[in-house]
Amino acid sequence: VTTRSTPINVRVGPGTKYGVAWVYVKAGTPVEIIQEFDTWRKIRDADGSEGWLHQNLLVGKRAGLVAPWKPAGEQIALLRSADENAGVRAWLTPSFRVDIKECTGTWCEVVATTHPVNGGPQSFDGWLHQDELWGVYKGEEFD
């Protein structure tokens, strides 16, 4: 799932009586739900941090981060199709946020949107190896 709005207080427990652990300042941040208690969801983010959010602060849109475990200077190929020999559509850096359209168990079709300083956003559709994406489980399939 992703965060719905900003700012969002992530709490140390399932309720507003619990303290704030940290605050998300960007909507659309991908997180994993790892536990539920009533209307509260315990989430984990790509850094491994865990905390609690009210369910209304989450939306079911799938998003992920490109290989956040890789060194900052590395580049990951966004391919034109789900094929090792497909042409490169764009080069992505580790932790680049993408919207996930579908996954086959091996490949995921994603949309990568850049936000350059000058000019409007540009989007690139393409395919990534599923194991180069945080936000999906190994072998997970969906469309």
Side-chain angles (χ1 to χ4, degrees):
V1 298
T2 55
T3 56
R4 182 180 300 275
S5 58
T6 58
I8 290 179
N9 294 330
V10 180
R11 299 193 173 269
V12 296
T16 55
K17 66 182 178 188
Y18 291 94
V20 175
W22 74 90
V23 178
Y24 282 121
V25 295
K26 187 166 183 170
T29 301
V31 296
E32 172 189 18
I33 295 173
I34 58 172
Q35 191 176 342
E36 296 183 8
F37 178 77
D38 194 25
T39 59
W40 290 83
R41 304 295 179 258
K42 187 172 188 182
I43 54 101
R44 179 184 303 132
D45 64 19
D47 296 334
S49 299
E50 297 179 1
W52 291 87
L53 293 175
H54 191 273
Q55 67 184 8
N56 290 342
L57 300 173
L58 298 168
V59 63
K61 185 174 182 180
R62 293 293 294 258
L65 299 176
V66 177
W69 51 86
K70 290 191 176 186
E74 217 169 301
Q75 291 186 324
I76 298 93
L78 178 66
L79 301 175
R80 293 187 185 277
S81 64
D83 181 337
E84 290 285 345
N85 299 315
V88 175
R89 183 102 167 96
W91 290 101
L92 305 176
T93 55
S95 295
F96 192 92
R97 186 197 174 283
V98 294
D99 291 314
I100 305 170
K101 293 169 78 173
E102 71 172 288
C103 289
T104 67
T106 306
W107 294 90
C108 290
E109 185 178 14
V110 302
V111 178
T113 303
T114 65
H115 298 277
V117 175
N118 296 321
Q122 285 185 292
S123 292
F124 300 91
D125 289 72
W127 292 83
L128 291 170
H129 277 282
Q130 200 155 331
D131 60 1
E132 292 184 321
L133 191 57
W134 185 91
V136 295
Y137 297 110
K138 182 179 176 119
E140 183 181 10
E141 296 179 35
F142 63 90
D143 56 10

